[in-house]
Amino acid sequence: MKTQLYSFWRSSAAFRVRIALNLKGLGYEVIPVHIVKSGGAQNADDYAKKNPNRLVPLYTDGNHSIHQSLAIVEYLEEIQANPPLLPESLIDRAWVRAIAMDIAIEIHPLNNLRVLRYLMKNLGINAEAKDAWYQHWMLLGLTSLETQLSTDSRVGRFACGGQPGLIDICLVPQIFNALSTKMDMTAYPTLMRIYAECMTLPAFIDASWEKQIDAEGSNPFMPPEN
Amino acid sequence: MKTQLYSFWRSSAAFRVRIALNLKGLGYEVIPVHIVKSGGAQNADDYAKKNPNRLVPLYTDGNHSIHQSLAIVEYLEEIQANPPLLPESLIDRAWVRAIAMDIAIEIHPLNNLRVLRYLMKNLGINAEAKDAWYQHWMLLGLTSLETQLSTDSRVGRFACGGQPGLIDICLVPQIFNALSTKMDMTAYPTLMRIYAECMTLPAFIDASWEKQIDAEGSNPFMPPEN
């Protein structure tokens, strides 16, 4: 059975896995799960049976299913070593995982849809305060990332050396989110340089929002040359 | 130079690494970083130089530093294979990582101190609404975990088989948090059974809140037999 990925076009977590699958050259079929429209299709009981945490992405090879984007990426790395998404040196692998988690743990969970919904519906936060919340965690996280990536000798054309890997996989979807809010990105030249490098590669372009079969509207913030 | 761990007694992320180091039998010195008291010592500039995301834990062997608890645990697994914290089978490794991330990504980042502070100080949420927020994400996360762990044949004495590993390392600190809020845990018999198993082991007991050199007050919810 062909590999399938339950995905939503704007989901950063699903976007990470799409990039990883593309970089590995592994074919897959996207099964769209609409997490925005009322209630969210991922809350339907049939999807919850597949993924009890009711989130996307969910990867399946027909026999096994895996949820959590970083667990899926680590699995892809273990079943197919090339091209590697983690460096060889153990301390470098730890560094890459830590930076990736700075995005996946410290920024993204605070700004995803179910959290923003809770802020507005359950806590009665207005749109302005919700946007301030979003920007606060984004700014805190991106500032830390810029500090780390602008000063580390491991950074090359991509976040770790000359080939794209786990950090880039997490960074690009986060930058998509930042750009979609029209955030001023001038404070993050290293992140934006790496983002632009990534967005020259088909693996990233093909995984991006506007290329998805469930995409809605256009993607106004792709670099003009793409 | 001896391994050092920048830690805070109640930090779930630091707690995870303390357990992992203990399970591996690796000696370490705890350097307390007080993240609660006004401003938070982790925000001091000297600590931010060590760890730009200003969070605990931070692991260092004198030559290298690693932040992000799960990145540290993966590193410990790679530098010292025994006892293993991840199973051998690739699909089982993915499952273990995914469940661990269900805790580390879907529950913990929403309920940590800096987020609760923002809710109260920046959004003006009262204590009751803050507690409801806390319980909401805890309940959602623990319900998903109970569903997954109560129905999976990989669960044994511990979360994956007969030896403690990555899931247990993440689960126990989360249960400490739940118990500290006096949450009703009757809906989570599988999680509480695994928690009780873990808390019979010195690696978990020695890593726990009340055993830390920077602990304040007693820990009222340790099982009585401990």
Side-chain angles (χ1 to χ4, degrees):
Chain A
M1 187 179 160
K2 196 175 176 182
T3 297
Q4 295 181 319
L5 185 71
Y6 291 81
S7 169
F8 176 64
W9 66 291
R10 279 192 68 147
S11 158
S12 292
F15 192 171
R16 293 174 200 148
V17 178
R18 297 193 302 255
I19 299 167
L21 284 162
N22 292 348
L23 285 170
K24 293 284 189 187
L26 296 167
Y28 60 101
E29 176 191 2
V30 164
I31 303 180
V33 179
H34 201 304
I35 62 172
V36 175
K37 66 183 175 189
S38 182
Q42 89 283 14
N43 287 323
D45 288 344
D46 57 339
Y47 185 70
K49 278 180 197 155
K50 296 189 179 78
N51 185 0
N53 81 3
R54 297 167 182 258
L55 300 167
V56 288
L58 179 72
Y59 165 99
T60 174
D61 63 7
N63 294 313
H64 301 289
S65 292
I66 310 170
H67 66 289
Q68 284 294 352
S69 61
L70 296 187
I72 300 169
V73 174
E74 293 272 359
Y75 177 74
L76 299 178
E77 183 76 352
E78 293 188 345
I79 61 169
Q80 184 179 304
N82 288 304
L85 304 177
L86 290 168
E88 270 187 56
S89 142
L90 300 190
I91 194 72
D92 292 349
R93 293 165 73 82
W95 179 75
V96 165
R97 285 189 174 114
I99 305 277
M101 288 172 186
D102 281 347
I103 301 168
I105 296 182
E106 308 307 341
I107 307 176
H108 181 246
L110 292 163
N111 284 348
N112 74 12
L113 192 67
R114 63 180 193 164
V115 172
L116 302 179
R117 275 204 178 121
Y118 189 98
L119 287 173
M120 297 191 79
K121 287 193 183 169
N122 298 57
L123 297 181
I125 301 304
N126 64 27
E128 193 182 353
K130 181 209 56 161
D131 290 345
W133 161 281
Y134 195 97
Q135 295 294 326
H136 174 78
W137 303 113
M138 186 93 83
L139 192 139
L140 206 63
L142 295 183
T143 301
S144 166
L145 286 174
E146 179 68 25
T147 300
Q148 295 180 83
L149 294 180
S150 65
T151 56
D152 199 291
S153 61
R154 283 167 283 214
V155 178
R157 180 180 167 201
F158 297 98
C160 184
Q163 298 298 326
L166 182 61
I167 296 174
D168 310 284
I169 285 169
C170 292
L171 179 64
V172 165
Q174 191 60 54
I175 299 293
F176 264 70
N177 272 327
L179 293 173
S180 76
T181 66
K182 306 197 191 319
M183 187 171 177
D184 178 3
M185 302 301 284
T186 51
Y188 316 108
T190 310
L191 305 185
M192 291 310 290
R193 183 191 61 71
I194 295 168
Y195 166 78
E197 289 286 358
C198 291
M199 291 309 293
T200 65
L201 303 181
F204 287 81
I205 295 169
D206 294 345
S208 68
W209 294 3
E210 69 175 9
K211 299 288 187 182
Q212 301 310 299
I213 55 172
D214 54 336
E216 295 163 20
S218 65
N219 173 356
F221 47 82
M222 290 269 278
E225 65 268 30
N226 292 314
Chain B
M1 186 178 163
K2 196 175 175 181
T3 297
Q4 295 180 319
L5 185 70
Y6 291 82
S7 170
F8 176 63
W9 65 292
R10 278 192 67 146
S11 158
S12 292
F15 192 172
R16 292 173 201 147
V17 177
R18 298 194 301 257
I19 299 167
L21 285 162
N22 292 349
L23 285 170
K24 293 283 191 187
L26 297 166
Y28 61 101
E29 176 191 3
V30 164
I31 302 180
V33 180
H34 201 303
I35 62 172
V36 174
K37 66 183 176 190
S38 183
Q42 89 282 14
N43 287 324
D45 287 346
D46 59 338
Y47 184 71
K49 277 180 198 154
K50 295 188 180 79
N51 185 1
N53 80 5
R54 297 166 184 259
L55 299 167
V56 288
L58 180 70
Y59 166 99
T60 174
D61 63 7
N63 294 313
H64 302 288
S65 293
I66 311 170
H67 66 289
Q68 284 293 352
S69 60
L70 295 187
I72 301 169
V73 175
E74 294 271 0
Y75 178 73
L76 299 178
E77 183 77 352
E78 293 188 346
I79 62 170
Q80 183 180 304
N82 289 306
L85 304 177
L86 290 168
E88 271 189 57
S89 142
L90 300 190
I91 194 71
D92 291 348
R93 294 165 73 83
W95 179 75
V96 165
R97 286 188 174 115
I99 304 279
M101 289 173 186
D102 281 348
I103 300 169
I105 297 182
E106 308 307 342
I107 306 177
H108 181 247
L110 292 163
N111 284 349
N112 74 13
L113 193 66
R114 64 181 194 162
V115 172
L116 302 179
R117 274 202 179 121
Y118 189 98
L119 286 173
M120 297 191 77
K121 287 193 181 166
N122 299 57
L123 296 181
I125 301 304
N126 65 27
E128 192 182 354
K130 182 208 57 162
D131 291 344
W133 162 281
Y134 194 97
Q135 294 294 327
H136 175 78
W137 303 113
M138 186 93 84
L139 191 139
L140 207 61
L142 295 183
T143 301
S144 166
L145 285 174
E146 178 68 25
T147 300
Q148 293 180 84
L149 294 181
S150 64
T151 56
D152 199 291
S153 60
R154 284 166 284 214
V155 178
R157 180 180 166 200
F158 297 98
C160 184
Q163 299 297 326
L166 182 61
I167 296 174
D168 309 283
I169 285 170
C170 293
L171 179 64
V172 165
Q174 192 59 55
I175 299 293
F176 264 70
N177 272 328
L179 293 173
S180 76
T181 67
K182 306 199 191 315
M183 187 171 175
D184 177 4
M185 302 300 283
T186 51
Y188 316 110
T190 311
L191 306 185
M192 291 309 291
R193 183 190 63 71
I194 295 168
Y195 167 77
E197 289 285 359
C198 291
M199 291 309 294
T200 64
L201 303 182
F204 287 81
I205 295 168
D206 294 345
S208 68
W209 293 4
E210 70 175 9
K211 299 289 186 181
Q212 301 310 299
I213 55 173
D214 55 336
E216 295 163 21
S218 64
N219 173 356
F221 47 82
M222 291 267 280
E225 64 269 31
N226 292 314

